[in-house]
Amino acid sequence: MSSNIDLSGVAGFLLKGAGLSILIAAGFYAGSVLAWSESAKSPGGDGIVYNGIWFTSTFAGSADQSSELRAYVARTGILALAQSEVLYYQTGLDDEGRPLETRCQYQVRGGSFDSDWWSLAVYDDTNHYFPIPGVPASFNSVNVPVDEDGRWTIAVGTREDADHAWVPILDTGGFNLLLRLYRPGEDVRGDLADAEMPTIRRLSCD
Amino acid sequence: MRLMYPIACLVAGGISVFAGFQWKTHTIPYDIMGQQIGRLYAGAGGYNQANYGMPGKNLKLQIEKANPEIQSVYCAYDLSAGPVRASGPVWDGYWSLSLYQANSDNYYILTNSETDGRFDITILPPGSEAESKDEAVSPSSKGILLIRMFLGSADAIPAAREAAAQTKCELLRPPA
């Protein structure tokens, strides 16, 4: 008796059709999964501008975005304001290009920016504040202590830094920083890639 | 002839992966905005109601990457029953009002420099025509209104929360 499946005739046609339908459905699903995975990565192109370890989107919130950029902004910075109101610089890396890890202690250093106000906030892997009641999740241009040169240092880590402003975090994996420049001036808006950004130095890791 | 079916499978598989990718990329902003609108709806107890949180507190169930320096007032609006009106005081400092449609696009913004201490705008359903700068036509029937007030320090929180409490978001013509 032959062991081959006979794909001729009506039964064969139906079998082929079913196989093709399953393949199409599986392919569509695979494409969807791939899209979700890719949407968390910067799509690059003209919409994303890199400034060292920091990056910003020139089209966040705008109706002129591509589908890929809109999906990326939706995943990483929903409800963003237009560039004329706020510039958003983000990073999940330290100055050496290593991912920011909650088991490590960091110092973030910077100066003034060409904007009316600014704030630097720390988020966990779910893009929310670390759930630590009664402590700051950020500092801003009004409340950050500055030295005689107008420079500031913000410590980020699980251990308190008595000498500097400190944003405490929990050891839950990774974290990211978001610098907001409110009512940015023409100097920074015209030079997104080269405007001076804060430095992020890793001090130690447990 | 024997190769037609495998070739057809290959082509169909490639096209379906591409189609799935494009479709999902397009729908991601709608899905995420839908989730945000749902959270804000739950937080406010319904559509077309202004609500606000405590700056710096964990808004885990509400807005992602919320700014701790910002006193936010938000309203998940639904225009299916007609235009929605939002009004209230304008904060003395950085203040902005933004409207976001269902795909997350920011289609309208009002800043404190454009007001005289108070704001009063009307959000119109899709297809309407705005007759003044205080009217905004939403491209979608649901969306989010978000007001931001920048706080330099914790001392400013009480006054900002008072301004937030006086902000209204409601149907222009409530049902009889």
Side-chain angles (χ1 to χ4, degrees):
Chain A
M1 180 186 298
S2 169
S3 59
N4 293 333
I5 298 175
D6 182 8
L7 294 181
S8 61
V10 175
F13 177 80
L14 291 176
L15 205 58
K16 286 180 183 177
L20 195 58
S21 298
I22 292 170
L23 182 68
I24 290 171
F28 193 87
Y29 177 75
S32 302
V33 171
L34 184 63
W36 178 255
S37 171
E38 290 299 304
S39 66
K41 304 173 191 173
S42 167
D46 293 339
I48 302 292
V49 176
Y50 291 92
N51 185 330
I53 59 171
W54 300 85
F55 66 92
T56 183
S57 164
T58 58
F59 287 106
S62 165
D64 296 330
Q65 302 174 85
S66 65
S67 292
E68 290 78 10
L69 186 54
R70 184 180 283 111
Y72 171 73
V73 172
R75 290 282 312 269
T76 62
I78 195 74
L79 304 180
L81 276 166
Q83 192 180 9
S84 58
E85 280 301 301
V86 185
L87 279 176
Y88 302 90
Y89 280 94
Q90 307 180 62
T91 188
L93 306 173
D94 67 15
D95 286 346
E96 302 300 318
R98 297 168 295 200
L100 297 174
E101 299 180 66
T102 55
R103 67 184 182 94
C104 302
Q105 314 301 316
Y106 297 87
Q107 276 188 352
V108 185
R109 305 200 69 221
S112 60
F113 302 98
D114 180 25
S115 62
D116 288 354
W117 302 272
W118 62 263
S119 72
L120 181 71
V122 180
Y123 302 98
D124 65 15
D125 277 348
T126 69
N127 290 329
H128 295 89
Y129 318 139
F130 284 90
I132 309 174
V135 298
S138 66
F139 282 90
N140 63 68
S141 50
V142 176
N143 67 6
V144 73
V146 296
D147 61 23
E148 58 272 16
D149 297 323
R151 310 284 299 174
W152 48 264
T153 300
I154 298 172
V156 181
T158 55
R159 291 198 292 270
E160 184 175 5
D161 182 336
D163 297 325
H164 302 105
W166 173 49
V167 174
I169 60 177
L170 300 174
D171 189 7
T172 54
F175 67 97
N176 58 87
L177 303 179
L178 180 54
L179 174 68
R180 293 174 170 92
L181 305 181
Y182 289 91
R183 303 269 165 82
E186 285 300 322
D187 287 348
V188 65
R189 287 178 59 190
D191 195 13
L192 296 175
D194 292 316
E196 184 183 350
M197 287 288 111
T199 60
I200 305 173
R201 186 163 68 103
R202 188 166 89 179
L203 302 178
S204 64
C205 291
D206 294 336
Chain B
M1 282 294 287
R2 292 186 65 185
L3 291 177
M4 277 190 64
Y5 182 67
I7 291 173
C9 286
L10 208 60
V11 173
I15 292 174
S16 62
V17 169
F18 177 79
F21 187 95
Q22 293 299 318
W23 171 81
K24 186 62 177 178
T25 298
H26 174 74
T27 61
I28 283 172
Y30 290 93
D31 293 341
I32 293 177
M33 272 296 282
Q35 292 168 13
Q36 288 285 358
I37 291 172
R39 290 191 200 114
L40 298 182
Y41 166 91
Y47 291 112
N48 307 327
Q49 297 188 47
N51 198 10
Y52 56 95
M54 183 69 178
K57 279 189 76 77
N58 197 324
L59 298 174
K60 206 169 183 72
L61 294 179
Q62 298 182 38
I63 301 174
E64 290 189 13
K65 288 200 173 180
N67 189 343
E69 265 80 25
I70 292 289
Q71 172 64 63
S72 302
V73 182
Y74 55 85
C75 172
Y77 67 79
D78 181 356
L79 303 168
S80 57
V84 168
R85 179 185 180 192
S87 61
V90 172
W91 177 248
D92 183 23
Y94 178 87
W95 180 97
S96 68
L97 180 154
S98 300
L99 298 177
Y100 299 87
Q101 61 153 314
N103 73 348
S104 76
D105 284 349
N106 174 204
Y107 67 91
Y108 178 89
I109 183 166
L110 182 68
T111 64
N112 53 301
S113 61
E114 300 170 273
T115 70
D116 58 359
R118 287 193 63 82
F119 77 96
D120 192 338
I121 68 161
T122 303
I123 309 171
L124 302 173
S128 305
E129 277 194 30
E131 297 180 355
S132 74
K133 67 177 178 60
D134 294 323
E135 293 183 335
V137 179
S138 176
S140 57
S141 61
K142 289 181 181 169
I144 294 174
L145 175 151
L146 181 57
I147 293 172
R148 295 172 167 96
M149 295 179 259
F150 184 83
L151 309 169
S153 67
D155 294 340
I157 292 177
R161 286 174 64 77
E162 177 58 30
Q166 295 177 31
T167 300
K168 292 183 180 178
C169 180
E170 56 198 353
L171 279 173
L172 184 64
R173 288 177 284 274

